[in-house]
Amino acid sequence: MLERQFSYLKENFDVLSLSDALSECDSPISKKKPIVSLTIDDGYRDFYEFCFPLLKKYEFPATFYVATDFVGQGIWLWHDKLKWIIDSNSVISESLYIKEHKYTPEYWCNNKDTLWRDLVSVMLRMSGEEIENILDKLSFLTKAKIPESPTADYCSVSWAELREMQAARVSIGGHTKSHYSLGHLSVGDVKSQVLGCRDHLSHELGEQSRHFCFPNGQPADITGSAKAMVKSAGFESAVAAYYDKSGVTDRFSMSRHGVGESWFEFQKSVWGIDRLGAQLFNRNSTFDWGEVCPQK
């Protein structure tokens, strides 16, 4: 599917880097083809293995946002560690309490399909310290022996791979250090996550203009103070993980359109049908990872 999408984009669109696309918005020049800019989040190694070869084949630029403490098989992304614990352990020894919510051993056993989404939805509203405390608690309740580094299903790119991609028209952007929602951190923690990410990228990849992506990228994750911190850190722009009628009017919470899971959804996105619906009917693609359904 991905190569079919790239072939279609090559024939019908001008695929520009994010910096060039923003310059085009500032000083529009009449073009024969509409413009598309490709952005990918997180820092997983499958981007290097599967997407990067196709980017080179079709000579496309892209922006790849990475959580810097994750790169090089550093930390687990917290939501991946949660998924690993859930998938690897069939029982918990006692009920898990998260604020007003209670997850019983029975619920844990019988709702594996929704449990991860339920917990992510709740944990996204917490600080990094609270999230790590819950993961430690789950490790204790399940007696899980969590690998020190992410397993193959969750592994990251290396800094050497990022340097290779950066030399081949892939802009490496910031995605914080640890992938916590900036909307639920203290001012000091937001500063640490944003500046630490920026400085780590500069140290490993050199000084250059970079873009930023808000983890989870929903309205609650993108506060005014967080946007101000990203801007003051010197990032050129920042993106959300949903679209609405505002489009790219705010360079530090720009809308994005996913390509969907079908050919129809892909075409609807790239040809601006979703964007038109947002403008005409005030639609948006905001989402919650799942409604919390704890057992009482």
Side-chain angles (χ1 to χ4, degrees):
M1 172 69 87
L2 182 60
E3 181 151 19
R4 183 186 179 193
Q5 291 170 342
F6 276 21
S7 177
Y8 189 82
L9 292 176
K10 187 74 172 181
E11 181 178 354
N12 295 284
F13 294 84
D14 281 332
V15 179
L16 301 183
S17 69
L18 185 53
S19 293
D20 287 345
L22 291 175
S23 295
E24 178 69 18
C25 291
D26 290 334
S27 303
I29 300 173
S30 178
K31 288 183 174 289
K32 294 181 180 179
K33 295 180 179 180
I35 292 171
V36 165
S37 186
L38 305 175
T39 62
I40 304 91
D41 302 355
D42 294 337
Y44 293 108
R45 194 172 191 278
D46 58 3
F47 174 81
Y48 177 80
E49 294 176 331
F50 302 111
C51 188
F52 180 50
L54 291 176
L55 290 173
K56 291 190 292 184
K57 176 179 178 178
Y58 288 93
E59 301 180 310
F60 286 165
T63 302
F64 186 39
Y65 302 102
V66 300
T68 50
D69 283 358
F70 174 51
V71 175
Q73 288 296 85
I75 66 167
W76 283 78
L77 297 183
W78 66 267
H79 45 82
D80 289 343
K81 184 184 285 189
L82 175 65
K83 185 74 162 60
W84 186 91
I85 292 172
I86 291 171
D87 290 346
S88 302
N89 297 275
S90 59
V91 297
I92 55 174
S93 59
E94 60 186 69
S95 295
L96 172 69
Y97 295 87
I98 304 180
K99 297 188 176 179
E100 70 273 21
H101 307 297
K102 176 182 178 181
Y103 299 87
T104 66
E106 293 74 22
Y107 184 79
W108 181 280
C109 291
N110 298 326
N111 294 274
K112 287 295 188 78
D113 290 342
T114 60
L115 181 60
W116 180 80
R117 287 178 175 269
D118 290 348
L119 289 171
V120 167
S121 181
V122 175
M123 293 166 72
L124 275 167
R125 301 178 178 91
M126 298 180 175
S127 69
E129 182 179 4
E130 290 173 315
I131 288 171
E132 297 303 328
N133 287 340
I134 289 172
L135 293 173
D136 288 345
K137 178 69 171 178
L138 279 174
S139 178
F140 172 77
L141 292 177
T142 60
K143 298 180 173 57
K145 298 185 183 300
I146 303 170
E148 184 176 343
S149 296
T151 58
D153 289 341
Y154 306 105
C155 69
S156 71
V157 290
S158 69
W159 288 107
E161 289 162 348
L162 288 179
R163 284 188 281 272
E164 177 188 349
M165 291 190 286
Q166 183 173 265
R169 303 181 71 203
V170 177
S171 173
I172 309 302
H175 201 32
T176 73
K177 294 166 55 180
S178 313
H179 207 271
Y180 303 130
S181 167
L182 295 186
H184 302 280
L185 302 185
S186 68
V187 173
D189 284 345
V190 170
K191 182 177 181 179
S192 174
Q193 288 288 324
V194 173
L195 299 188
C197 173
R198 178 201 65 186
D199 294 345
H200 203 168
L201 289 171
S202 296
H203 174 74
E204 294 285 352
L205 305 176
E207 296 277 355
Q208 61 178 259
S209 178
R210 300 193 186 279
H211 302 273
F212 188 85
C213 174
F214 285 96
N216 199 52
Q218 298 304 295
D221 307 303
I222 307 173
T223 63
S225 59
K227 288 195 294 182
M229 184 65 70
V230 171
K231 185 175 182 179
S232 68
F235 287 99
E236 185 179 343
S237 75
V239 295
Y242 66 94
Y243 66 80
D244 61 15
K245 67 178 181 180
S246 64
V248 297
T249 54
D250 183 345
R251 290 297 168 87
F252 287 89
S253 61
M254 294 191 295
S255 296
R256 287 192 295 173
H257 294 261
V259 296
E261 297 182 0
S262 70
W263 188 248
F264 172 74
E265 290 174 324
F266 166 72
Q267 289 197 311
K268 189 159 62 81
S269 181
V270 298
W271 285 111
I273 305 304
D274 290 333
R275 169 73 175 141
L276 182 62
Q279 291 176 308
L280 293 179
F281 306 112
N282 197 26
R283 291 175 180 164
N284 64 67
S285 64
T286 58
F287 67 90
D288 187 320
W289 280 106
E291 297 296 327
V292 180
C293 304
Q295 294 289 309
K296 301 298 184 184

